[in-house]
PDB file of all heavy atoms in Angstrom:
ATOM      1  N   LEU A  21      17.624 127.868 -12.790  1.00 95.00           N
ATOM      2  CA  LEU A  21      16.863 126.731 -13.223  1.00 95.00           C
ATOM      3  C   LEU A  21      17.730 125.951 -14.275  1.00 95.00           C
ATOM      4  O   LEU A  21      17.658 124.699 -14.382  1.00 95.00           O
ATOM      5  CB  LEU A  21      15.569 127.212 -14.050  1.00 95.00           C
ATOM      6  CG  LEU A  21      14.467 127.601 -13.108  1.00 95.00           C
ATOM      7  CD1 LEU A  21      13.322 128.223 -13.911  1.00 95.00           C
ATOM      8  CD2 LEU A  21      14.038 126.479 -12.273  1.00 95.00           C
ATOM      9  N   ALA A  22      18.598 126.630 -15.046  1.00 96.00           N
ATOM     10  CA  ALA A  22      19.503 125.987 -15.983  1.00 96.00           C
ATOM     11  C   ALA A  22      20.395 124.998 -15.195  1.00 96.00           C
ATOM     12  O   ALA A  22      20.682 123.840 -15.666  1.00 96.00           O
ATOM     13  CB  ALA A  22      20.362 126.989 -16.726  1.00 96.00           C
ATOM     14  N   LYS A  23      20.770 125.403 -14.018  1.00 95.00           N
ATOM     15  CA  LYS A  23      21.668 124.515 -13.269  1.00 95.00           C
ATOM     16  C   LYS A  23      20.992 123.232 -12.860  1.00 95.00           C
ATOM     17  O   LYS A  23      21.529 122.160 -12.900  1.00 95.00           O
ATOM     18  CB  LYS A  23      22.127 125.260 -11.913  1.00 95.00           C
ATOM     19  CG  LYS A  23      23.105 124.498 -11.062  1.00 95.00           C
ATOM     20  CD  LYS A  23      23.621 125.320  -9.919  1.00 95.00           C
ATOM     21  CE  LYS A  23      24.219 124.506  -8.804  1.00 95.00           C
ATOM     22  NZ  LYS A  23      25.356 123.634  -9.242  1.00 95.00           N
ATOM     23  N   PHE A  24      19.657 123.387 -12.542  1.00 96.00           N
ATOM     24  CA  PHE A  24      18.809 122.093 -12.252  1.00 96.00           C
ATOM     25  C   PHE A  24      18.673 121.260 -13.493  1.00 96.00           C
ATOM     26  O   PHE A  24      18.783 120.016 -13.480  1.00 96.00           O
ATOM     27  CB  PHE A  24      17.546 122.465 -11.643  1.00 96.00           C
ATOM     28  CG  PHE A  24      17.547 123.213 -10.363  1.00 96.00           C
ATOM     29  CD1 PHE A  24      16.669 124.252 -10.069  1.00 96.00           C
ATOM     30  CD2 PHE A  24      18.589 122.994  -9.441  1.00 96.00           C
ATOM     31  CE1 PHE A  24      16.722 124.990  -8.887  1.00 96.00           C
ATOM     32  CE2 PHE A  24      18.720 123.731  -8.280  1.00 96.00           C
ATOM     33  CZ  PHE A  24      17.785 124.711  -8.015  1.00 96.00           C
ATOM     34  N   LEU A  25      18.403 121.941 -14.648  1.00 97.00           N
ATOM     35  CA  LEU A  25      18.027 121.273 -15.786  1.00 97.00           C
ATOM     36  C   LEU A  25      19.231 120.453 -16.419  1.00 97.00           C
ATOM     37  O   LEU A  25      19.046 119.432 -17.130  1.00 97.00           O
ATOM     38  CB  LEU A  25      17.628 122.213 -16.899  1.00 97.00           C
ATOM     39  CG  LEU A  25      16.231 122.556 -16.929  1.00 97.00           C
ATOM     40  CD1 LEU A  25      15.905 123.663 -18.096  1.00 97.00           C
ATOM     41  CD2 LEU A  25      15.419 121.316 -17.363  1.00 97.00           C
ATOM     42  N   ILE A  26      20.460 120.857 -16.152  1.00 97.00           N
ATOM     43  CA  ILE A  26      21.598 120.180 -16.571  1.00 97.00           C
ATOM     44  C   ILE A  26      21.629 118.730 -16.123  1.00 97.00           C
ATOM     45  O   ILE A  26      22.210 117.800 -16.787  1.00 97.00           O
ATOM     46  CB  ILE A  26      22.902 120.967 -16.110  1.00 97.00           C
ATOM     47  CG1 ILE A  26      23.163 122.089 -17.070  1.00 97.00           C
ATOM     48  CG2 ILE A  26      24.114 120.018 -16.006  1.00 97.00           C
ATOM     49  CD1 ILE A  26      23.682 121.695 -18.457  1.00 97.00           C
ATOM     50  N   GLU A  27      20.889 118.415 -15.141  1.00 97.00           N
ATOM     51  CA  GLU A  27      20.782 117.083 -14.666  1.00 97.00           C
ATOM     52  C   GLU A  27      20.236 116.132 -15.795  1.00 97.00           C
ATOM     53  O   GLU A  27      20.737 115.003 -15.860  1.00 97.00           O
ATOM     54  CB  GLU A  27      19.836 116.968 -13.394  1.00 97.00           C
ATOM     55  CG  GLU A  27      19.717 115.582 -12.809  1.00 97.00           C
ATOM     56  CD  GLU A  27      21.015 115.101 -12.136  1.00 97.00           C
ATOM     57  OE1 GLU A  27      21.742 115.866 -11.614  1.00 97.00           O
ATOM     58  OE2 GLU A  27      21.193 113.899 -12.115  1.00 97.00           O
ATOM     59  N   GLN A  28      19.292 116.617 -16.550  1.00 98.00           N
ATOM     60  CA  GLN A  28      18.695 115.850 -17.621  1.00 98.00           C
ATOM     61  C   GLN A  28      19.527 115.952 -18.892  1.00 98.00           C
ATOM     62  O   GLN A  28      19.223 115.351 -19.878  1.00 98.00           O
ATOM     63  CB  GLN A  28      17.227 116.279 -17.856  1.00 98.00           C
ATOM     64  CG  GLN A  28      16.308 115.875 -16.804  1.00 98.00           C
ATOM     65  CD  GLN A  28      16.256 114.337 -16.588  1.00 98.00           C
ATOM     66  OE1 GLN A  28      17.254 113.797 -16.075  1.00 98.00           O
ATOM     67  NE2 GLN A  28      15.165 113.679 -16.913  1.00 98.00           N
ATOM     68  N   TYR A  29      20.582 116.755 -18.912  1.00 98.00           N
ATOM     69  CA  TYR A  29      21.366 116.799 -19.973  1.00 98.00           C
ATOM     70  C   TYR A  29      22.661 115.833 -19.836  1.00 98.00           C
ATOM     71  O   TYR A  29      22.776 114.975 -20.722  1.00 98.00           O
ATOM     72  CB  TYR A  29      22.016 118.259 -20.118  1.00 98.00           C
ATOM     73  CG  TYR A  29      22.670 118.637 -21.421  1.00 98.00           C
ATOM     74  CD1 TYR A  29      22.035 118.604 -22.671  1.00 98.00           C
ATOM     75  CD2 TYR A  29      24.007 118.858 -21.483  1.00 98.00           C
ATOM     76  CE1 TYR A  29      22.586 118.947 -23.814  1.00 98.00           C
ATOM     77  CE2 TYR A  29      24.718 119.243 -22.719  1.00 98.00           C
ATOM     78  CZ  TYR A  29      23.981 119.264 -23.828  1.00 98.00           C
ATOM     79  OH  TYR A  29      24.499 119.533 -25.089  1.00 98.00           O
ATOM     80  N   GLY A  30      23.344 115.945 -18.742  1.00 98.00           N
ATOM     81  CA  GLY A  30      24.494 115.080 -18.613  1.00 98.00           C
ATOM     82  C   GLY A  30      24.470 114.303 -17.292  1.00 98.00           C
ATOM     83  O   GLY A  30      25.534 113.864 -16.797  1.00 98.00           O
ATOM     84  N   GLY A  31      23.303 114.050 -16.807  1.00 97.00           N
ATOM     85  CA  GLY A  31      23.148 113.258 -15.545  1.00 97.00           C
ATOM     86  C   GLY A  31      22.899 111.822 -15.752  1.00 97.00           C
ATOM     87  O   GLY A  31      22.698 111.419 -16.961  1.00 97.00           O
ATOM     88  N   ALA A  32      22.840 110.973 -14.706  1.00 97.00           N
ATOM     89  CA  ALA A  32      22.791 109.531 -14.809  1.00 97.00           C
ATOM     90  C   ALA A  32      21.489 109.084 -15.473  1.00 97.00           C
ATOM     91  O   ALA A  32      21.403 108.051 -16.316  1.00 97.00           O
ATOM     92  CB  ALA A  32      22.838 108.878 -13.456  1.00 97.00           C
ATOM     93  N   ASP A  33      20.410 109.851 -15.244  1.00 96.00           N
ATOM     94  CA  ASP A  33      19.138 109.384 -15.879  1.00 96.00           C
ATOM     95  C   ASP A  33      18.651 110.404 -16.906  1.00 96.00           C
ATOM     96  O   ASP A  33      17.467 110.617 -17.249  1.00 96.00           O
ATOM     97  CB  ASP A  33      18.043 109.349 -14.723  1.00 96.00           C
ATOM     98  CG  ASP A  33      18.484 108.411 -13.660  1.00 96.00           C
ATOM     99  OD1 ASP A  33      18.838 107.291 -13.907  1.00 96.00           O
ATOM    100  OD2 ASP A  33      18.357 108.895 -12.429  1.00 96.00           O
ATOM    101  N   GLY A  34      19.613 111.131 -17.465  1.00 97.00           N
ATOM    102  CA  GLY A  34      19.372 112.213 -18.466  1.00 97.00           C
ATOM    103  C   GLY A  34      19.197 111.660 -19.837  1.00 97.00           C
ATOM    104  O   GLY A  34      19.221 110.426 -20.061  1.00 97.00           O
ATOM    105  N   GLU A  35      18.943 112.578 -20.739  1.00 98.00           N
ATOM    106  CA  GLU A  35      18.700 112.231 -22.122  1.00 98.00           C
ATOM    107  C   GLU A  35      19.807 111.679 -22.920  1.00 98.00           C
ATOM    108  O   GLU A  35      19.660 110.752 -23.717  1.00 98.00           O
ATOM    109  CB  GLU A  35      18.026 113.358 -22.836  1.00 98.00           C
ATOM    110  CG  GLU A  35      16.797 114.034 -22.193  1.00 98.00           C
ATOM    111  CD  GLU A  35      15.591 113.163 -22.283  1.00 98.00           C
ATOM    112  OE1 GLU A  35      15.646 112.128 -22.973  1.00 98.00           O
ATOM    113  OE2 GLU A  35      14.562 113.507 -21.698  1.00 98.00           O
TER     114      GLU A  35
END
Side-chain angles (χ1 to χ4, degrees):
Chain A
L21 285 176
K23 183 173 162 58
F24 300 145
L25 270 175
I26 276 289
E27 185 66 34
Q28 288 301 68
Y29 194 65
D33 306 313
E35 302 291 353

